[in-house]
Amino acid sequence: MIEKIERSTRGPLLLGLAFAAGLAAALWVQASMRAVGATTYLPATTTLADLLLAGIYVCALLVLLRAPLRPALRFVFAPLGRMALTNYLTATLLVLAASHLLGLPIGQSSSAAFQAAGVILMAQWLFSALWLRRYRQGPMEWLWRWATWARRPTLRIPRAELIP
């Protein structure tokens, strides 16, 4: 399936357009419900709209991966992807710390949420890129493999293989 997706631009483009049409319909239903004061099914349409928007993002990324931007996207996303579990857990801790300890209105303001996400993503990319110069995987990925394989995997990259 992944090979088919990587070879095709048309599939993700058409699927993204279908998701966009579904998103437009979901947003129209939301607006109609708000206009008449009916809020019973509003959370369901919001969830549907969020899922459709996520689908649009994925399809857009798949289309971009077929463009000349692919090397740049790989440069940005590869370190983040190789440490996905570590980054997910640290992002959660950082958002909670920013909200509760620093008092940032991440849950109340979408601009604060986007700014926090941008800062966290840049910090995680830098950390991931530097970490992966010396280690095979992220620390949480290493712990996960150790727990699931029931043996301790190698974490460090041997000196002979280190990237200068």
Side-chain angles (χ1 to χ4, degrees):
M1 183 60 130
I2 290 174
E3 288 176 11
K4 281 185 177 183
I5 289 172
E6 283 195 352
R7 286 191 305 242
S8 172
T9 303
R10 189 177 68 188
L13 184 62
L14 292 175
L15 188 58
L17 290 173
F19 286 155
L23 176 62
L27 293 176
W28 180 77
V29 168
Q30 278 183 356
S32 300
M33 290 171 64
R34 282 193 180 106
V36 297
T39 57
T40 306
Y41 296 104
L42 204 53
T45 58
T46 301
T47 301
L48 176 62
D50 291 344
L51 289 171
L52 290 168
L53 185 59
I56 292 168
Y57 289 149
V58 169
C59 289
L61 186 59
L62 289 171
V63 169
L64 286 174
L65 285 173
R66 298 281 300 149
L69 283 173
R70 185 182 182 116
L73 291 171
R74 181 171 287 186
F75 176 77
V76 171
F77 289 115
L80 293 169
R82 287 184 54 202
M83 291 182 51
L85 179 60
T86 299
N87 287 329
Y88 175 77
L89 295 173
T90 57
T92 302
L93 293 175
L94 290 171
V95 166
L96 290 172
S99 298
H100 296 293
L101 299 177
L102 301 176
L104 295 179
I106 293 174
Q108 292 83 30
S109 165
S110 59
S111 65
F114 281 120
Q115 289 171 358
V119 168
I120 289 170
L121 194 58
M122 285 189 290
Q124 286 183 325
W125 178 83
L126 182 61
F127 175 75
S128 296
L130 293 173
W131 178 271
L132 290 171
R133 287 182 175 189
R134 295 212 176 266
Y135 302 100
R136 296 181 189 278
Q137 64 230 353
M140 297 311 296
E141 289 75 11
W142 178 75
L143 284 172
W144 182 260
R145 283 182 176 91
W146 191 358
T148 57
W149 293 352
R151 65 173 165 54
R152 188 171 151 202
T154 305
L155 179 61
R156 276 193 165 272
I157 296 174
R159 282 195 181 270
E161 294 178 31
L162 284 176
I163 300 170

